[in-house]
Amino acid sequence: MQKILGHMRKAIQQYDMIRNGDRIAVGVSGGKDSVALLVGLARLRSFIGISYEVTALTIDPAFGGVATDYSPISELCRGLGVEHVVVPTQIGEIVFDARREPNPCSLCSRMRRGALTNAAAELGCGKIALGHNYDDTVETFIMNLFNEGRIGCYSPVTTFDDRDIAIIRPLVLTEEREIRRAVKRNGLPVVKSACPADGHTNRERTKQLIAQLERTDRGLKDRLFGALVRGDIDGWGIK
């Protein structure tokens, strides 16, 4: 985890993600990225020089109408000294059963983000930490370009004019392979998603495309990320 902690510390300082007194709700889906994010933020408190509080917040979509067992995450939180709040929802049933969305990811993401934002506000948290990593950032950049014909991405820090809350992404300088390796080596618990679309999404196809291009053109991924930074697109420029 040391390498990941270093990347997280750099991202937090580079993009001014966390300040003294912040109360942060960490969105924990149970996947490797969110688990690594939770552990990283919990551990960084002891040496980053910023005083902040962390709460783990899980939105359960209840895919197939069945509640997910997040007890391994709750056990991890107890060891970290972090509160774990699970919010039950019917998002899975609405997206896949009631609406029968042909492209469910967009609606599911919006509904989960809304539930996460509302729950964080109720807990008195002014910031929400999400587990988007370096690879996710490049993929989103490419997806926006190829699918929507626009140059853009999510931001390292996203603020909302109508709500006193911000979204931060402390893992954006950490590659997915580093996260996968750290989670395995440290024996961290992962709760597999029961989403029917898991592994068959546009993001997964984009991930495979970038991997294929990277094999014949080494450094492509880094150049794409560098373009975001050099162009200061959506707040990625280094201040």
Side-chain angles (χ1 to χ4, degrees):
M1 282 293 295
Q2 284 303 118
K3 193 171 184 180
I4 291 179
L5 290 175
H7 287 316
M8 290 180 65
R9 183 175 188 172
K10 181 179 179 180
I12 289 169
Q13 295 174 337
Q14 188 166 289
Y15 294 108
D16 192 23
M17 293 185 180
I18 302 176
R19 298 180 179 180
N20 282 320
D22 279 346
R23 299 187 65 182
I24 304 171
V26 183
V28 183
S29 65
K32 66 183 188 314
D33 299 321
S34 64
V35 168
L37 173 66
L38 170 63
V39 173
L41 284 176
R43 293 184 180 177
L44 277 172
R45 291 178 298 179
S46 64
F47 64 86
I48 197 173
I50 307 172
S51 177
Y52 62 92
E53 299 178 27
V54 173
T55 298
L57 182 53
T58 298
I59 304 300
D60 183 8
F63 293 114
V66 179
T68 305
D69 178 13
Y70 291 105
S71 58
I73 304 300
S74 297
E75 182 63 29
L76 172 66
C77 288
R78 280 191 287 272
L80 294 170
V82 171
E83 179 186 14
H84 184 209
V85 177
V86 179
V87 179
T89 73
Q90 296 178 309
I91 293 175
E93 291 182 275
I94 293 171
V95 173
F96 289 98
D97 301 328
R99 294 280 295 267
R100 298 184 182 275
E101 288 286 319
N103 299 300
C105 295
S106 178
L107 176 60
C108 184
S109 177
R110 291 198 304 271
M111 293 184 70
R112 292 175 73 170
R113 188 69 55 82
L116 187 64
T117 302
N118 290 336
E122 290 177 4
L123 291 168
C125 296
K127 290 182 177 175
I128 299 172
L130 299 180
H132 294 113
N133 59 48
Y134 186 91
D135 296 74
D136 292 328
T137 304
V138 174
E139 290 157 15
T140 300
F141 182 34
I142 291 297
M143 288 165 64
N144 287 339
L145 183 61
F146 285 12
N147 300 337
E148 301 178 22
R150 68 179 179 90
I151 296 175
C153 189
Y154 50 68
S155 303
V157 177
T158 303
T159 57
F160 301 95
D161 294 333
D162 59 337
R163 304 199 70 163
D164 189 21
I165 201 163
I167 292 177
I168 62 174
R169 297 174 169 90
L171 283 177
V172 289
L173 301 184
T174 310
E175 290 190 83
E176 184 177 15
R177 62 184 177 182
E178 294 176 349
I179 296 172
R180 186 183 299 109
R181 189 180 303 124
V183 168
K184 183 177 181 180
R185 285 181 176 176
N186 289 271
L188 299 179
V190 172
V191 177
K192 183 171 175 53
S193 172
C195 173
D198 191 33
H200 305 283
T201 62
N202 185 32
R203 180 170 294 278
E204 183 61 31
R205 290 189 291 272
T206 304
K207 185 187 297 291
Q208 293 175 5
L209 172 62
I210 293 173
Q212 179 183 352
L213 293 173
E214 181 77 19
R215 283 192 290 270
T216 58
D217 188 4
R218 294 291 297 274
L220 172 68
K221 186 169 63 175
D222 292 338
R223 292 195 296 275
L224 289 170
F225 188 89
L228 281 170
V229 175
R230 289 187 295 274
D232 193 11
I233 297 170
D234 292 326
W236 283 97
I238 299 174
K239 302 298 185 293

